[in-house]
Amino acid sequence: CYGGLDLSLTDDMTSFVLYWPHNHALRSWFWLPATTIAKRPEYRDWHRQGFLQQTPGNVVDFAYIESQILVAAKQWSLAAVGYDPWRATEMAVRLRENHGVNMMECRQGFLTLSAPAQLFERLIVGGNLRPHPNKVLYWHAGNATVVSDPAGNIKPVKPSGTEKVDGIVASIMALAAANSAPPPKPAPKIWSIG
């Protein structure tokens, strides 16, 4: 599988999404600081229901997020993680150098996001995307709008400051990683003679 990571500090959601290209399945995780969750009733409900995790304090705890990525890397065969370098470069270097996670920079501009965003759109319209149930991801999908540049490239944006689309961005970065990373190496075959 392939991951997409969109970090935040306080009000946006930190999002981590895994994507399996063979069946187009998605699994998503979301985090906010405890103080931000306390501000909105839907955040409190989603936290109680297990769709939204909290980190202690008033900013997202990056060390905790990193530990959760490592849990996912051990549980599933994680081939690569697309990430936006904004505030994530140090974490990406640690994950790559200390734990062997293939981290792929994925800036949130038209050039990087257009092809995977178009694929994401085709999977949705064709009914082929299989997200693991998560109310936060569904909310992000309902908020997302698409903008295009003069060349016809597209990317998702949020319509206002209070609505969030972080899970959709992380999903698209996971698709970008899947389409950019070299395929995983097959397991070595062991031959026995005799």
Side-chain angles (χ1 to χ4, degrees), residues 3-5 81-85 88-89 92 96 103-107 173:
L5 174 65
V81 175
Y83 71 97
D84 181 7
T89 301
R96 182 183 304 115
M103 301 296 292
M104 302 180 67
E105 193 173 287
C106 187
R107 296 187 180 274
M173 287 193 291

Side-chain angles (χ1 to χ4, degrees), residues 90-110:
E90 284 183 40
M91 181 189 297
V93 168
R94 279 192 307 275
L95 287 166
R96 182 183 304 115
E97 291 181 2
N98 299 342
H99 305 285
V101 178
N102 183 10
M103 301 296 292
M104 302 180 67
E105 193 173 287
C106 187
R107 296 187 180 274
Q108 293 187 17
F110 286 110

Side-chain angles (χ1 to χ4, degrees), residues 8-12 31-38 53-61:
S8 67
L9 281 181
T10 57
D11 293 325
D12 280 341
W31 297 272
L32 278 172
T35 55
T36 305
I37 289 176
Q53 320 264 327
Q54 78 177 21
T55 63
N58 58 2
V59 295
V60 171
D61 180 349

Side-chain angles (χ1 to χ4, degrees), residues 20-98:
W20 285 264
H22 69 280
N23 63 1
H24 306 298
L26 288 178
R27 186 168 183 126
S28 52
W29 294 265
F30 303 96
W31 297 272
L32 278 172
T35 55
T36 305
I37 289 176
K39 293 178 187 176
R40 290 182 69 166
E42 65 270 26
Y43 290 175
R44 293 190 301 272
D45 290 344
W46 294 333
H47 174 64
R48 272 193 301 279
Q49 296 166 358
F51 298 115
L52 177 61
Q53 320 264 327
Q54 78 177 21
T55 63
N58 58 2
V59 295
V60 171
D61 180 349
F62 287 178
Y64 180 74
I65 304 305
E66 186 174 333
S67 73
Q68 296 305 294
I69 292 169
L70 290 172
V71 168
K74 288 178 182 158
Q75 186 170 359
W76 292 286
S77 179
L78 187 55
V81 175
Y83 71 97
D84 181 7
W86 182 86
R87 297 203 190 263
T89 301
E90 284 183 40
M91 181 189 297
V93 168
R94 279 192 307 275
L95 287 166
R96 182 183 304 115
E97 291 181 2
N98 299 342

